[in-house]
Amino acid sequence: MVSIIRFSEVERFRNTGRWVLVYGRRKVGKSFFVRSSVEYDRYYFVGRGGFIYEEDSVLSYEAFKREVVQSLDRDEAVVVDEVQRLPGEFFDLLHRLGVRGRLVAVSSTLWLARELIGKRSPVLGLFSDFRMGLIDEVDILMNLRDKISDKKKLVEYSIFLREPWLVPVWESAGDFFRALPGTVRLTVPSLIGEIFTEEERMYTRVYDGILKAVADGRQVSTEIASQLYSHRLIPAQDPSLVHPYLKILADIGLLEKVKIYGKNKYYYRHASPVIDYYYYLDAKYGVSERDIQETQALKVLAERIPLYAEQFVARLLSRKMGLWPEKIVEKDYEVDIALTDFQKLVAVVEVKWKEKIPRSELRNIEEKLSRFPCKRILFVPNREDLPWEPERVEVWDVESVISTDTQK
């Protein structure tokens, strides 16, 4: 079984305090990370029914409290997984106890994280916060690069395997992309339901409508509001009606905001290509209500992968270069990625995710990027496949990024 090492998370965890709150969206690998990368003496899991498990034992809440206090008094390391399911008085107990020993609290609920580090929290200042998302782009590439020799496939598999729950599917499936549609159709609705259950929010038709609208290309609040209004999900075509929903979806980790360079505007996209793929299939083919033919699903996947590759490359370069990923949108042209240092434009990047790029298209890319007095990058699956390299644009592929230190 392939074990994905989250190098960046391990390094980041080393800089946390003695008490740490690990939190993030469901199924991003929080529990696996703690079990595999954090040293501990006791590991407790809190079930939905309030039962508390340690290995094969089931503890009462009173016995659990007593054991936790004793362990921390002995300067031991304790993990409490799904800590949000404990009664509020447990956090009052921690406040009275004060920081001693090593305590790692794991939560799938982002509102709890905000409560714990909020101004009125009984444990304000006691916990370091450690938010986890999907597997880091650099990490997933480093884990898979020795297993997948084809550069294009390496990135395409990595795009989806940032979702840890898909790694076993990739290992066992003869053809991962053929297995993907059925797996996504069965799993994503349950995953979304679990996320909203843990957040203690009703999963309304408005949330579902927003997720579907964003996957279908409505990425700014005015367009999202227009689509929701057309489906009678909101009472007026007013963007202010969807802003609270968008904020919640971004906070939960389902959507992400991308700034338009040089403008006070943002657009929204799915943080996970896997979830985007499901909602796009639902928007086009209604897969939540009926089956979809494999040929249709694979055709849609092939159409969406260049978009997902652009999103992956934006994050990859952002992390490697320590810059903000934005997008340039003008009346007569767009640039896929703008990498900025606050308001300073450091690099512009165009992503072309196909094996053969005509010379005329290369010239147009070079001409467009040459408008900007900064680093200009064309990112392709394999630079060796280009018929020629433009003089005014640097050509990069995934090997250019992961084999060297990328400087600003």
Side-chain angles (χ1 to χ4, degrees), residues 9 12-13 16-24 30 33-34 38 78-86 90-91 94 102-118 121 123-132:
E9 307 288 18
R12 191 161 62 94
F13 197 85
T16 57
R18 291 179 64 82
W19 283 14
V20 187
L21 174 65
V22 178
Y23 64 100
K30 300 181 297 297
F33 171 77
V34 171
V38 177
V78 176
V79 177
V80 182
D81 199 345
E82 301 293 4
V83 68
Q84 77 277 359
R85 296 170 180 167
L86 292 172
F90 178 72
F91 301 104
L94 295 180
R102 177 78 154 132
L103 177 59
V104 179
V106 183
S107 173
S108 297
T109 315
L110 276 74
W111 68 259
L112 173 67
R114 293 194 295 270
E115 289 291 322
L116 286 181
I117 59 179
S121 168
V123 291
L124 174 63
L126 301 184
F127 281 90
S128 300
D129 66 296
F130 188 86
R131 180 169 180 169
M132 288 187 67

Side-chain angles (χ1 to χ4, degrees), residues 287-356:
V287 297
S288 61
E289 304 292 338
R290 60 174 183 165
D291 290 335
I292 183 173
Q293 296 298 320
E294 182 182 273
T295 53
Q296 290 175 315
L298 291 174
K299 180 182 177 182
V300 169
L301 183 60
E303 292 171 353
R304 301 297 283 177
I305 279 181
L307 176 65
Y308 301 151
E310 176 189 320
Q311 189 173 343
F312 184 92
V313 170
R315 294 199 193 99
L316 175 66
L317 296 183
S318 169
R319 295 184 191 281
K320 288 291 287 186
M321 300 173 72
L323 299 169
W324 294 100
E326 301 182 9
K327 191 176 180 75
I328 295 175
V329 179
E330 300 295 343
K331 289 183 179 179
D332 55 342
Y333 70 91
E334 294 186 6
V335 176
D336 294 337
I337 305 164
L339 297 170
T340 66
D341 186 358
F342 293 99
Q343 296 183 358
K344 180 183 177 183
L345 184 63
V346 178
V348 287
V349 186
E350 195 77 0
V351 180
K352 286 298 174 185
W353 205 251
K354 52 187 177 182
E355 293 178 353
K356 295 183 180 180

Side-chain angles (χ1 to χ4, degrees), residues 34-72:
V34 171
R35 285 188 176 276
S36 62
S37 304
V38 177
E39 294 183 1
Y40 58 87
D41 298 293
R42 313 293 290 267
Y43 195 109
Y44 301 96
F45 178 83
V46 185
R48 283 201 177 95
F51 296 104
I52 300 168
Y53 303 88
E54 185 188 16
E55 301 300 335
D56 296 329
S57 302
V58 181
L59 304 177
S60 68
Y61 175 60
E62 293 301 322
F64 160 76
K65 284 196 304 181
R66 185 166 56 251
E67 285 192 9
V68 168
V69 171
Q70 291 172 351
S71 295
L72 294 177

Side-chain angles (χ1 to χ4, degrees), residues 53-271:
Y53 303 88
E54 185 188 16
E55 301 300 335
D56 296 329
S57 302
V58 181
L59 304 177
S60 68
Y61 175 60
E62 293 301 322
F64 160 76
K65 284 196 304 181
R66 185 166 56 251
E67 285 192 9
V68 168
V69 171
Q70 291 172 351
S71 295
L72 294 177
D73 280 340
R74 292 193 296 266
D75 201 33
E76 293 178 347
V78 176
V79 177
V80 182
D81 199 345
E82 301 293 4
V83 68
Q84 77 277 359
R85 296 170 180 167
L86 292 172
E89 68 98 16
F90 178 72
F91 301 104
D92 294 325
L93 170 66
L94 295 180
H95 172 72
R96 295 194 301 270
L97 185 64
V99 177
R100 60 185 74 178
R102 177 78 154 132
L103 177 59
V104 179
V106 183
S107 173
S108 297
T109 315
L110 276 74
W111 68 259
L112 173 67
R114 293 194 295 270
E115 289 291 322
L116 286 181
I117 59 179
K119 294 181 179 180
R120 298 180 181 179
S121 168
V123 291
L124 174 63
L126 301 184
F127 281 90
S128 300
D129 66 296
F130 188 86
R131 180 169 180 169
M132 288 187 67
L134 303 181
I135 298 171
D136 179 271
E137 290 80 7
V138 178
D139 288 349
I140 194 65
L141 289 171
M142 296 302 292
N143 277 273
L144 298 181
R145 64 182 301 194
D146 293 334
K147 301 175 179 63
I148 306 169
S149 58
D150 185 289
K151 295 177 184 179
K152 187 169 184 285
K153 288 183 178 179
L154 171 61
V155 172
E156 290 177 357
Y157 285 140
S158 296
I159 285 169
F160 294 98
L161 296 182
R162 292 183 64 226
E163 290 274 10
W165 57 272
L166 277 173
V167 174
V169 179
W170 172 68
E171 286 185 286
S172 60
D175 186 326
F176 175 63
F177 287 139
R178 286 187 179 275
L180 189 61
T183 304
V184 166
R185 184 176 180 272
L186 289 174
T187 306
V188 169
S190 298
L191 171 61
I192 298 297
E194 286 184 15
I195 291 170
F196 279 87
T197 297
E198 292 294 345
E199 292 294 328
E200 295 189 357
R201 299 182 186 278
M202 184 182 298
Y203 182 39
T204 67
R205 293 176 63 211
V206 176
Y207 287 117
D208 188 73
I210 291 173
L211 294 172
K212 191 180 295 185
V214 170
D216 199 23
R218 277 70 170 180
Q219 295 183 299
V220 298
S221 59
T222 51
E223 294 173 349
I224 295 169
S226 177
Q227 178 146 323
L228 294 186
Y229 177 68
S230 70
H231 291 292
R232 300 185 179 182
L233 294 175
I234 55 176
Q237 193 170 318
D238 183 354
S240 67
L241 296 177
V242 301
H243 287 157
Y245 294 96
L246 290 170
K247 184 178 187 307
I248 289 170
L249 290 169
D251 286 347
I252 290 173
L254 291 177
L255 295 182
E256 61 182 17
K257 290 173 66 175
V258 180
K259 189 177 184 301
I260 304 300
Y261 174 71
K263 301 176 183 178
N264 189 27
K265 294 182 179 180
Y266 297 84
Y267 75 90
Y268 293 85
R269 65 187 179 195
H270 282 271

